[in-house]
Amino acid sequence: LVTLEPLRQTERTLIYAVRAYERFRRTYAVDVSDRVYRVQQSLDQLNNERLNFDNLRLLRVRNERLAEAGELSEVQADQARQDELGSQNRLVVLQGNTERQLDTFKVFLGLPVECELFFEEGILRRLEVESPVLDLLRDDVAVEFALENRLDVMTSFDRVQDAVRKEAIARDALRAGLSVSASVREVTAEGKVLQYSFSDAIWSAGVDVDLPIDLLPLRNAWRRAELTLVDVRRRYERSLDDVTASVRDALRRARNSYKTFKIQQGAVTLSERRVRGAELSLEAGEAITRDLLEAQSSLRSSRDSATAARIAFTLDLLNLWLELELLRVDESGVFVDPALSEDLRVRTLER
């Protein structure tokens, strides 16, 4: 135990470093995904506002011509013009925010600010918003799975074992010691490398006795090792509580995000139907300009909220997989470990 401890601790330190690095890679990948989707959200909001601005411009032109023909009041023409100016102002603000986010993202990636970034079309539309396991996954199953597979929990447990060994070594140092040594020294003549004459050799033997005298420093070291062991055990228990709380919270947020997205998706459908109804009513003379303007504003807001909800659910799901240690990172990107995912699904169905 005592002799092999330096080698054993060095090996474990290497393992801890590898685990920490792998955990960082996965956390960093989720962070990058978060920033990519936030940029995409800004671009989507900018596109939604451009569509809204084009619709308002067409409505303003229509109302101005009707007002010139005396078929519409100037008030309704000014309403369309005012909303168009408000949309144009929002376009300026959103354009500035998007460019600012892009520059910040480039700096985060270590790229020159002047370089051009190109994003694939339809990234947000391809985001999946269905997770069969999420609907069936129970809190206790998720927590149990995380405690078994989290790399940081493994390291925290192994550190307890390190402290146990160090306490045993410090306690062992209080015992008496006896070391026996022997040596022989012989020098050959010049030019005769392999000719030894052991009759002229120098022999020596020694005995080193370590009596248990003046043990105060060793007792202090042992006491420090005991206190360290208690502290490490408390940290391990605290890490279990922290992981339990974080997994339950990640699961809760993913479920709530999914419900929010479904609500916002329904709101978009309702807003689109409301805009079509307002347009038909306006053409039939059964509605005023303000009705259509409010419907278009509601549609723009609903689309922005639906995009934000879709991104929030995707990121919350990624964070949940990260909490469960299901995420893997390689040269192809970020993905969920299929073997562990199947194991989690089987456990969920068994419960």
Side-chain angles (χ1 to χ4, degrees):
L1 177 68
V2 177
T3 305
L4 293 178
E5 177 58 23
L7 175 61
R8 182 182 293 109
Q9 188 58 60
T10 302
E11 292 174 342
R12 284 179 171 266
T13 301
L14 175 61
I15 293 174
Y16 302 160
V18 172
R19 287 174 180 168
Y21 176 67
E22 184 60 31
R23 182 71 182 173
F24 163 77
R25 292 177 70 235
R26 298 168 186 177
T27 305
Y28 181 77
V30 173
D31 188 15
V32 173
S33 301
D34 182 284
R35 293 172 184 268
V36 169
Y37 290 141
R38 297 305 177 190
V39 173
Q40 285 291 309
Q41 182 179 355
S42 296
L43 293 173
D44 186 75
Q45 289 179 345
L46 186 61
N47 290 332
N48 290 338
E49 192 58 56
R50 284 172 179 166
L51 291 175
N52 184 57
F53 176 74
D54 293 339
N55 293 331
L56 290 174
R57 183 172 55 184
L58 292 175
L59 181 61
R60 186 259 303 167
V61 172
R62 169 188 176 278
N63 284 7
E64 286 180 346
R65 292 178 179 177
L66 290 176
E68 291 175 359
E71 298 181 5
L72 194 67
S73 65
E74 290 290 337
V75 174
Q76 295 191 53
D78 290 341
Q79 286 177 344
R81 189 179 302 110
Q82 184 177 10
D83 277 32
E84 181 189 11
L85 293 175
S87 177
Q88 188 175 13
N89 182 71
R90 288 193 297 272
L91 272 177
V92 173
V93 175
L94 288 174
Q95 183 68 41
N97 291 338
T98 301
E99 293 175 355
R100 188 180 306 109
Q101 277 192 310
L102 281 171
D103 290 344
T104 304
F105 184 56
K106 295 173 188 176
V107 173
F108 171 76
L109 294 179
L111 299 174
V113 180
E114 298 80 10
C115 76
E116 292 288 336
L117 286 182
F118 300 95
F119 296 90
E120 289 185 55
E121 293 291 335
I123 290 180
L124 297 182
R125 291 192 298 272
R126 292 199 301 269
L127 291 180
E128 295 184 3
V129 288
E130 300 292 339
S131 180
V133 178
L134 184 62
D135 298 333
L136 303 175
L137 187 58
R138 290 174 41 175
D139 290 8
D140 56 344
V141 176
V143 170
E144 177 185 345
F145 186 86
L147 295 180
E148 291 179 5
N149 294 276
R150 282 280 292 263
L151 297 179
D152 50 349
V153 174
M154 295 179 185
T155 298
S156 182
F157 175 79
D158 289 342
R159 291 190 186 279
V160 175
Q161 307 307 312
D162 294 344
V164 171
R165 292 196 316 276
K166 286 178 171 55
E167 187 274 336
I169 292 173
R171 183 175 66 252
D172 180 79
L174 294 173
R175 299 190 300 169
L178 175 63
S179 300
V180 180
S181 60
S183 64
V184 59
R185 182 173 182 269
E186 169 64 16
V187 180
T188 62
E190 185 176 355
K192 300 179 180 179
V193 180
L194 299 179
Q195 294 182 9
Y196 292 95
S197 177
F198 290 101
S199 60
D200 298 329
I202 301 175
W203 300 81
S204 64
V207 177
D208 184 12
V209 180
D210 183 12
L211 297 177
I213 302 174
D214 190 17
L215 298 179
L216 182 59
L218 296 178
R219 284 201 300 266
N220 291 341
W222 179 34
R223 183 56 177 165
R224 283 194 298 269
E226 286 184 321
L227 294 176
T228 300
L229 175 58
V230 173
D231 180 59
V232 172
R233 279 175 173 165
R234 288 178 177 174
R235 291 183 185 180
Y236 171 65
E237 294 172 356
R238 175 63 183 271
S239 69
L240 296 182
D241 293 337
D242 291 341
V243 170
T244 299
S246 62
V247 169
R248 289 170 59 89
D249 183 62
L251 188 58
R252 187 182 306 114
R253 285 188 287 108
R255 288 168 176 165
N256 292 340
S257 297
Y258 179 74
K259 294 177 182 178
T260 300
F261 171 74
K262 288 299 183 182
I263 293 173
Q264 294 300 333
Q265 203 173 29
V268 170
T269 303
L270 181 62
S271 297
E272 291 174 346
R273 186 165 66 245
R274 180 182 172 189
V275 168
R276 288 193 298 268
E279 290 174 344
L280 294 175
S281 297
L282 187 63
E283 291 177 0
E286 299 177 357
I288 59 176
T289 301
R290 175 52 55 191
D291 295 333
L292 180 56
L293 292 175
E294 290 178 353
Q296 289 179 343
S297 176
S298 177
L299 177 59
R300 173 187 56 81
S301 178
S302 298
R303 285 174 174 170
D304 290 344
S305 298
T307 299
R310 182 189 291 268
I311 291 175
F313 173 71
T314 301
L315 294 176
D316 287 340
L317 197 59
L318 280 176
N319 280 307
L320 176 60
W321 300 151
L322 178 64
E323 291 291 339
L324 295 176
E325 211 65 83
L326 286 174
L327 279 188
R328 296 295 181 267
V329 181
D330 60 12
E331 63 276 4
S332 63
V334 183
F335 62 96
V336 176
D337 188 301
L340 290 179
S341 179
E342 179 63 21
D343 181 26
L344 180 61
R345 190 185 71 84
V346 171
R347 293 191 188 190
T348 302
L349 295 177
E350 289 178 350
R351 295 294 179 90

